[in-house]
């Protein structure tokens, strides 16, 4: 496969894809700042509100592998253009929706369009940049996308509170249409290369082969474990929890969401540099992030009184770091997958974090209703403490998956001639040098 090596051209094409991903994240997270308004507009309870996000995420996760196959067959430009257009239509439908079925249709469209954006950007990076730059560029792409969280927490929230529901989501639809045109014009044709053998394979065998390497499965579990706490808070339950249970103002809730995003933006390049320089130690980053996230939840949920703002800021910062750490899973897909299957493998890995997010978002909503009086739409701190505690279930599943698949990956590496020394020995060698 030949690559388009011109740094200026590659960077310009990447910039268009990164902006498309930023807007996709705004589309994805806009409902998170409109949760209170959605409850009132559609007369929802906690489970009903969770269903809005769960449907979007389920469509997104369900289309990851098909979208990856299409990226391998059709290229990044086509998928980013079509995905952006579908999301724009979804936001336009949501802008005028005044009943639950129409709103659910809109959220399904948003999830379907979103499914293709990030994995297409990852494929584009792998095609157009030198391998040593790929981990950092993927993290920088994630950083750009995370700034969409700030746009939602600040700009979308401001428009929503000043101009209302229809104007807010109508503006988002227009932004999506603009990105569609930019992607169609600005990304350009993919690098010339002969047809890939994987593109001619049937769907199920191709997916099985892409997901077969132990390292790719390690990528799946790494992506499953690290981002779901961040997503559960940022995409839906953060603002209601901070405002109604922790007694914070909407402005302070926006500050906390912004702190999460800034943490992700700062952490991303650091994680990218580390994984690029120490590829045999990537799993330690995943496990340390998971441990820090567990401690953060315990310090917030164990006390039965609202936490000081400073403690909530630390909580937000720790959860925010989990977002970019999840992209270590994408890097596993890159290093253990042949180039002609990279889109399919990336889609498989990317399914992990959104599967755990679906479990988390829905479980929190169901438990909130179970532990609260019937008909209540504002939930107490005690209800949130119980509901968020269920997130330990996907956390434990993710840790076990990472540890088990890491062991199998190291066995496969040893068979191929690469032995991963114990961390203690590696540190001793480093001190000796």
């Amino acid at each position: 496969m030949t690559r388009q090596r011109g740094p200026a051209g590659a960077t310009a094409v990447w910039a268009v894809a990164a902006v498309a991903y930023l807007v996709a994240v705004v589309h994805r997270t806009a409902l998170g700042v409109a949760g209170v308004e959605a409850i009132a507009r559609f007369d929802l309870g906690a489970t009903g509100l969770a269903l809005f996000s769960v449907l979007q995420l389920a469509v997104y996760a369900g289309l990851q592998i098909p979208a990856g196959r299409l990226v391998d067959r059709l290229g990044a430009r086509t998928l980013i253009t079509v995905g952006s257009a579908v999301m724009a239509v979804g936001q336009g439908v949501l802008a005028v929706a005044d009943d639950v079925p129409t709103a659910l249709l809109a959220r399904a469209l948003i999830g379907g369009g979103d499914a293709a954006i990030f994995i297409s950007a990852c494929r584009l990076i792998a095609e157009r940049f030198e391998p040593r730059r790929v981990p950092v560029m993927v993290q920088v792409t994630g950083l750009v996308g995370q700034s969409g969280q700030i746009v939602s927490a600040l700009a979308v929230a401001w428009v929503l509170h000043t101009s209302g529901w229809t104007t807010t989501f109508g503006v988002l639809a227009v932004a999506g249409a603009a990105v569609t045109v930019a992607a169609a014009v600005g990304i350009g044709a993919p690098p010339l290369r002969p047809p890939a053998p994987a593109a001619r394979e049937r769907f199920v065998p191709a997916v099985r082969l892409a997901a077969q390497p132990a390292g790719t499965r390690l990528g799946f579990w790494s992506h499953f474990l690290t981002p779901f706490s961040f997503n559960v808070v940022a995409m839906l339950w953060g603002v209601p929890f901070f405002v109604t249970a922790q007694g914070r103002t909407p402005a302070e809730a926006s500050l906390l969401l912004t702190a999460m995003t800034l943490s992700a933006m700062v952490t991303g390049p650091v994680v990218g540099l580390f994984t690029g320089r120490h590829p045999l130690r990537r799993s330690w980053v995943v496990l340390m992030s998971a441990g820090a996230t567990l401690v953060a939840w315990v310090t917030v949920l164990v006390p039965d009184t609202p936490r000081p703002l400073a403690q909530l800021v630390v909580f937000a910062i720790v959860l925010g770091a989990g977002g970019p750490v999840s992209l270590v899973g994408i890097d596993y897909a890159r290093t253990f997958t042949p180039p002609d299957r990279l889109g399919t493998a990336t889609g498989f890995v990317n399914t992990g974090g959104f599967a755990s997010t679906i479990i988390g978002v829905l479980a929190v909503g169901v438990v909130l209703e179970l532990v609260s009086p019937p008909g209540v739409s504002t939930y107490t701190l005690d209800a949130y403490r119980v509901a968020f505690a269920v997130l330990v279930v996907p956390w434990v599943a993710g840790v076990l998956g990472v540890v088990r698949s890491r062991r199998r990956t190291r066995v496969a590496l040893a068979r191929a001639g690469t032995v991963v020394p114990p961390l203690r020995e590696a540190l001793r060698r480093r001190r000796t040098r």
Side-chain angles (χ1 to χ4, degrees):
M1 181 179 69
T2 61
R3 298 173 187 259
Q4 180 176 323
R5 296 294 190 188
T11 301
V13 169
W14 166 82
V16 176
V19 170
Y21 180 50
L22 183 155
V23 175
V25 172
V26 176
H27 289 321
R28 182 192 305 169
T29 59
L31 188 64
V33 300
V36 176
E37 288 77 7
I39 288 174
R41 184 179 180 91
F42 301 109
D43 192 23
L44 299 172
T47 303
L49 181 60
L51 182 61
F52 274 52
S53 288
V54 166
L55 175 64
Q56 176 193 339
L57 292 170
V59 172
Y60 179 100
L63 290 179
Q64 280 299 288
I65 295 176
R69 287 288 294 151
L70 288 174
V71 172
D72 289 336
R73 295 174 66 93
L74 303 178
R77 177 178 65 173
T78 300
L79 270 293
I80 292 175
T81 301
V82 173
S84 297
V86 172
M87 294 186 81
V89 172
Q91 293 290 29
V93 173
L94 189 60
V96 300
D98 56 8
D99 59 83
V100 171
T102 304
L104 290 175
L105 171 63
R107 297 301 289 177
L109 289 171
I110 292 168
D114 190 14
I117 305 299
F118 182 67
I119 58 176
S120 296
C122 291
R123 175 63 186 252
L124 183 149
I125 291 168
E127 288 175 343
R128 300 173 189 257
F129 289 91
E130 296 289 344
R132 62 182 177 82
R133 296 185 61 192
V134 170
V136 175
M137 292 303 299
V138 169
Q139 287 289 350
V140 172
T141 305
L143 184 154
V144 173
Q146 292 300 333
S147 64
Q149 301 270 4
I150 296 180
V151 174
S152 291
L154 299 179
V156 173
W158 179 79
V159 175
L160 181 67
H161 296 146
T162 57
S163 301
W165 181 281
T166 299
T167 299
T168 299
F169 290 98
V171 169
L172 290 175
V174 172
V179 167
T180 300
V181 175
V185 174
I187 291 180
L192 296 176
R193 59 186 185 276
R200 298 190 293 268
E201 293 173 345
R202 292 188 175 183
F203 179 80
V204 173
V207 173
R208 185 183 298 114
L209 287 171
Q212 190 175 48
T216 303
R217 295 195 295 275
L218 176 56
F220 172 89
W221 285 112
S222 298
H223 202 277
F224 181 98
L225 173 61
T226 48
F228 70 86
S229 288
F230 174 90
N231 289 336
V232 166
V233 172
M235 296 184 67
L236 189 62
W237 294 117
V239 171
F241 173 64
F242 293 139
V243 173
T244 64
Q246 293 290 336
R248 297 296 156 189
T249 66
E252 289 172 331
S254 293
L255 170 67
L256 292 167
L257 293 182
T258 301
M260 291 178 65
T261 303
L262 291 176
S263 171
M265 295 174 71
V266 171
T267 305
V270 177
V271 172
L273 288 171
F274 180 87
T275 55
R277 293 176 181 176
H278 305 283
L280 298 179
R281 302 296 172 187
R282 289 173 288 187
S283 61
W284 283 104
V285 178
V286 173
L287 293 172
M288 286 190 293
S289 174
T293 299
L294 179 63
V295 172
W297 276 116
V298 168
T299 59
V300 168
L301 297 182
V302 169
D304 59 359
T305 56
R307 298 293 82 206
L309 181 61
Q311 183 177 347
L312 293 176
V313 170
V314 174
F315 169 77
I317 289 172
V318 174
L319 263 61
V325 172
S326 70
L327 299 186
V328 173
I330 304 297
D331 200 50
Y332 277 120
R334 176 185 66 86
T335 52
F336 287 93
T337 305
D340 56 296
R341 304 186 196 279
L342 182 57
T344 306
T346 302
F348 169 73
V349 168
N350 210 33
T351 303
F354 289 91
S356 59
T357 298
I358 291 170
I359 295 169
V361 168
L362 185 58
V364 170
V366 170
V367 174
L368 278 175
E369 288 205 355
L370 288 175
V371 301
S372 301
V376 169
S377 60
T378 301
Y379 303 98
T380 65
L381 175 58
D382 286 340
Y384 275 108
R385 291 171 65 209
V386 176
F388 281 133
V390 302
L391 296 180
V392 74
V393 175
W395 185 90
V396 170
V399 169
L400 293 176
V402 168
V403 172
R404 183 169 54 250
S405 56
R406 179 177 69 169
R407 182 170 59 250
R408 293 173 178 173
T409 300
R410 289 182 174 182
V411 170
L413 285 172
R415 289 173 179 167
T418 300
V419 177
V420 181
L423 184 60
R424 181 188 309 171
E425 181 180 341
L427 292 174
R428 181 179 59 79
R429 291 177 181 177
R430 186 177 182 85
R431 285 195 301 268
T432 300
R433 288 198 299 266

